[in-house]
Amino acid sequence: MIRNSQLCGQAVIAYLKQKGFPEVALYFVKDERIRFNLALESGNIQTAVASATTIDEKDHWYRLGVEALRQGNAGIVEYAYQRTKNFERLSFLYLVTGNLEKLSKMLKIAEVKNNVMGQFHNALYLGDVRERVKILENVGHLPLAYVTASVHGLHDVAERLAAELGDNVPSLPEGKVPSLLMPPSPVMCGSDWPLLRVMRGMFDGAFDNVGRGVADEEEYEAADADWGEDLDIVDVDGMQNGDIAAIMEDGEVAEENEEEEGGWEMEDLGLGPEEETPRAANTTASVFVTPTPGMPKSSLAADHAIAGNFETVMRLLNRQLGIRNFTPLRSMFIDLHNGSHSYLRAFSSAPVISLAIERGWTESSSANVRGPPALPFKFSQLDEKLRAGYKLTTAGKFTEALKTFLNILHTIPLVVVESRREVDEVKELIIIVKEYVLGLQMELRRREIKDNPARQQELAAYFTHCNLQTPHLRLALQNAMTVCVKAKNLASAYNFARRLLETNHTVESQAKAARQVIAVAEKNMTNTTELNYDFRNPFVICGATYVPIYRGQKDVSCPYCTSRFVPSEEGKLCTVYDLAVVGADASGLLCSPS
């Protein structure tokens, strides 16, 4: 019944329309006027264009333009205005879409038609002050032309008009500062509004041939039809008014120079024959669908931050990692939410259109299945930051290096990876960065201490027990050796010099210094200052008090970075990166959907 269009009776069609299915009733109607009305009601611009072309009445083209404007299809709006010769609306359309080239041609058309108000409006739209002065002068409004020229700085024109006015030159008000009346520059030249692709409906395939010929289907099946083609209008910038003949039908323009060539054939605005009517995009395959926001079904904090569910993010991070201080993460939440969207500019006076970006989208992806959101923070970016932190550490820029490593620790809870191998790499990265943050914090603290040599030596010694890259470990050992030598603690200096040589140091000058320290220390293996440091007894360093926690002593750890602390620090914020609570009960980092 559907394929053969055997549904009969106006009552059935009216019933479908009444129940909110005009798009279904549309396929069973052969009368072009009824089809046009149903197409407008259902938003089917493709069918409406075909029906309006067949009917070819001014009222139908006007209604088609209104509906196309509501849908943001600027190409069809332009074509509808051209068919009805609605030049006022056409000029304003070119203004709001930023098409200044066609707007200047509309100015010439208004001049040919001797439409003074149309000329003046188009000159205002273009910001063409000289043209406005010319129009006012041609219609005899010399005082207004003089004032316009004077205010806008066209002094040569103003002097000529003043000579013509004689004693009737109008006086400009004193104490007033003139302002330039110019239209705003278009931010971008607008075209059709973007469409989201959706799957064809269950009736679309069945209705393709209903009540229509095969040729009709072929004519409108191209989904990428371009409505943005330029008008095929002859350039008239260098022509005189008298040379432009037969621009409008019904003898609207004088035919003085009808025998000359080069005039505009404006009977249909130079759009060509009817069979080349611009086509609408295939709305059965591409229609605008407003995305419906929803709560993501995910246990990943990053997905909820992207969706803007910040309260859920904080609950997840508190449960998984024991995080209680979210102040350092606030800007990252906002960056995640904003960075996962693309923003399209419409008109200069219209709001920006926000579009969510999906992760892993391809052209073969289903349009009806929403994918996970895109991720502005990637694991590869953290690897680049890690290398940057290494370089800063090598250069001795400890403050900048510490900020870089802390940024990595703050970003990891909001990173999503796919494979199990990447999950292991993320956990390994946490340990690496934690060691550098702790070591750099101790070194910066050591440099702040001026009146406690023993504490300086202890912090320098603890720094050498952080798990650093070999080049950085050598620098830390050399630093601790130097501090202990200056403090006359030769026994400790001997230990650091020996460890430095064991790293197979390639810089001869530093290796030579280490050998000299060993030679001196072997003659006097003593310490003048007692240190809280025993390199023979394995220990970890408290992340808050910077004291050793030797094997067998009680300690508590951070649930996120696994830094160790003395028991008195339990319940306090982890001082390594200021996020999680020390000793909190947490389920662990979750950074992969699998």
Side-chain angles (χ1 to χ4, degrees):
M1 179 179 68
I2 293 176
R3 292 185 181 277
N4 297 325
S5 187
Q6 293 177 352
L7 183 64
C8 301
Q10 295 295 327
V12 178
I13 296 174
Y15 174 80
L16 290 173
K17 180 179 177 182
Q18 179 183 359
K19 292 301 180 180
F21 297 100
E23 68 278 4
V24 178
L26 174 65
Y27 293 96
F28 302 100
V29 177
K30 297 182 179 180
D31 184 87
E32 292 295 343
R33 297 180 185 274
I34 300 178
R35 285 179 59 83
F36 179 81
N37 293 331
L38 291 174
L40 288 188
E41 186 174 345
S42 60
N44 193 335
I45 289 293
Q46 172 189 353
T47 305
V49 170
S51 298
T53 304
T54 303
I55 300 171
D56 197 19
E57 292 182 0
K58 186 174 182 179
D59 179 65
H60 288 75
W61 283 115
Y62 171 77
R63 292 172 57 195
L64 175 63
V66 171
E67 176 61 21
L69 187 62
R70 187 187 68 83
Q71 294 189 16
N73 199 323
I76 297 181
V77 177
E78 177 184 8
Y79 182 65
Y81 289 167
Q82 290 171 352
R83 293 301 299 264
T84 58
K85 298 181 176 59
N86 196 335
F87 296 112
E88 291 78 9
R89 293 179 181 270
L90 194 58
S91 295
F92 194 76
L93 176 67
Y94 292 149
L95 171 67
V96 298
T97 55
N99 199 332
L100 302 183
E101 180 182 356
K102 292 185 179 180
L103 188 58
S104 62
K105 293 182 179 181
M106 295 303 299
L107 172 64
K108 197 65 177 180
I109 292 175
E111 181 180 357
V112 172
K113 292 182 59 180
N114 199 24
N115 184 351
V116 177
M117 288 306 300
Q119 279 183 265
F120 195 77
H121 285 160
N122 285 303
L124 279 175
Y125 295 158
L126 289 167
D128 192 341
V129 179
R130 289 189 177 274
E131 185 67 23
R132 284 157 49 193
V133 173
K134 174 184 173 183
I135 295 171
L136 292 172
E137 184 179 3
N138 290 341
V139 297
H141 292 293
L142 296 183
L144 284 178
Y146 170 78
V147 171
T148 303
S150 299
V151 170
H152 291 86
L154 302 178
H155 301 297
D156 52 341
V157 179
E159 292 175 0
R160 178 174 56 80
L161 293 174
E164 295 183 19
L165 289 170
D167 297 334
N168 297 324
V169 177
S171 59
L172 299 177
E174 298 180 358
K176 299 289 185 178
V177 178
S179 59
L180 181 62
L181 184 60
M182 292 285 288
S185 300
V187 178
M188 60 181 296
C189 293
S191 57
D192 294 351
W193 288 1
L195 303 177
L196 297 181
R197 291 196 177 276
V198 298
M199 296 295 292
R200 292 166 63 90
M202 60 180 295
F203 295 112
D204 292 338
F207 290 160
D208 279 345
N209 299 326
V210 175
R212 311 296 294 173
V214 177
D216 234 8
E217 178 185 359
E218 294 176 353
E219 181 181 359
Y220 290 98
E221 69 179 354
D224 57 349
D226 185 8
W227 274 86
E229 295 182 0
D230 292 338
L231 287 174
D232 186 14
I233 300 178
V234 180
D235 187 8
V236 297
D237 291 342
M239 301 174 60
Q240 300 295 326
N241 291 348
D243 296 332
I244 307 174
I247 291 182
M248 303 302 297
E249 59 185 354
D250 300 328
E252 291 184 4
V253 180
E255 301 180 358
E256 301 172 355
N257 300 318
E258 195 170 290
E259 68 280 358
E260 297 186 17
E261 296 182 359
W264 279 359
E265 295 296 335
M266 288 291 293
E267 190 162 350
D268 60 350
L269 292 184
L271 291 170
E274 292 296 327
E275 60 271 15
E276 295 186 10
T277 298
R279 305 182 185 92
N282 189 354
T283 54
T284 61
S286 297
V287 297
F288 181 76
V289 178
T290 304
T292 55
M295 186 75 68
K297 297 179 181 179
S298 173
S299 297
L300 300 176
D303 288 344
H304 290 272
I306 289 171
N309 304 322
F310 296 156
E311 292 185 3
T312 305
V313 177
M314 292 187 285
R315 285 197 298 269
L316 285 174
L317 293 179
N318 180 264
R319 184 171 68 246
Q320 295 172 3
L321 300 175
I323 295 179
R324 187 174 65 187
N325 178 28
F326 294 96
T327 302
L329 302 181
R330 182 176 181 273
S331 60
M332 294 187 177
F333 288 173
I334 298 175
D335 290 343
L336 268 176
H337 179 61
N338 293 336
S340 61
H341 292 71
S342 178
Y343 299 91
L344 302 178
R345 293 177 296 179
F347 306 140
S348 57
S349 59
V352 176
I353 303 172
S354 175
L355 299 175
I357 305 174
E358 296 182 6
R359 182 164 74 243
W361 183 89
T362 61
E363 293 183 357
S364 61
S365 301
S366 174
N368 288 340
V369 178
R370 299 297 300 273
L375 299 171
F377 298 156
K378 301 182 183 300
F379 181 64
S380 59
Q381 297 172 343
L382 300 184
D383 189 51
E384 295 174 359
K385 290 183 179 180
L386 179 64
R387 290 196 292 269
Y390 284 161
K391 293 180 180 179
L392 292 171
T393 304
T394 303
K397 300 178 180 180
F398 295 148
T399 302
E400 297 179 21
L402 180 60
K403 291 180 180 179
T404 301
F405 289 126
L406 283 175
N407 181 264
I408 295 176
L409 282 179
H410 292 166
T411 306
I412 287 177
L414 301 174
V415 168
V416 177
V417 295
E418 299 298 333
S419 65
R420 180 62 189 174
R421 180 183 59 82
E422 290 179 319
V423 173
D424 295 337
E425 290 178 353
V426 170
K427 295 180 179 180
E428 181 182 358
L429 179 62
I430 295 175
I431 303 301
I432 294 173
V433 175
K434 178 260 297 184
E435 293 290 329
Y436 272 86
V437 170
L438 179 59
L440 292 175
Q441 286 176 341
M442 289 190 296
E443 178 61 19
L444 291 173
R445 176 70 62 85
R446 184 190 69 81
R447 297 188 177 192
E448 295 174 358
I449 299 174
K450 303 298 183 182
D451 55 352
N452 192 344
R455 186 57 175 166
Q456 286 183 334
Q457 295 175 74
E458 289 173 353
L459 292 176
Y462 301 154
F463 192 12
T464 65
H465 287 267
C466 293
N467 189 8
L468 308 177
Q469 298 291 312
T470 301
H472 302 144
L473 177 60
R474 289 169 180 163
L475 293 174
L477 288 169
Q478 182 184 2
N479 177 62
M481 180 184 70
T482 303
V483 172
C484 290
V485 168
K486 291 181 179 179
K488 308 293 188 202
N489 273 20
L490 298 181
S492 298
Y494 173 84
N495 171 57
F496 297 130
R498 180 181 53 80
R499 290 174 58 191
L500 180 59
L501 291 176
E502 290 175 354
T503 61
N504 298 321
H505 210 298
T506 57
V507 181
E508 181 58 29
S509 61
Q510 296 177 350
K512 181 180 179 180
R515 287 192 291 268
Q516 290 176 346
V517 170
I518 290 176
V520 173
E522 286 177 345
K523 298 177 182 180
N524 185 17
M525 193 71 68
T526 59
N527 284 337
T528 59
T529 306
E530 184 178 357
L531 304 179
N532 183 16
Y533 172 64
D534 183 4
F535 66 89
R536 299 180 183 86
N537 190 1
F539 65 88
V540 293
I541 306 162
C542 174
T545 59
Y546 306 138
V547 296
I549 304 175
Y550 292 100
R551 182 178 297 175
Q553 295 180 345
K554 292 183 178 180
D555 61 26
V556 290
S557 62
C558 170
Y560 172 32
C561 71
T562 69
S563 296
R564 310 289 279 276
F565 296 86
V566 295
S568 60
E569 295 296 320
E570 185 173 6
K572 300 179 182 179
L573 282 180
C574 174
T575 54
V576 175
Y577 62 102
D578 293 329
L579 292 183
V581 176
V582 176
D585 186 15
S587 60
L589 176 65
L590 183 63
C591 59
S592 176
S594 57

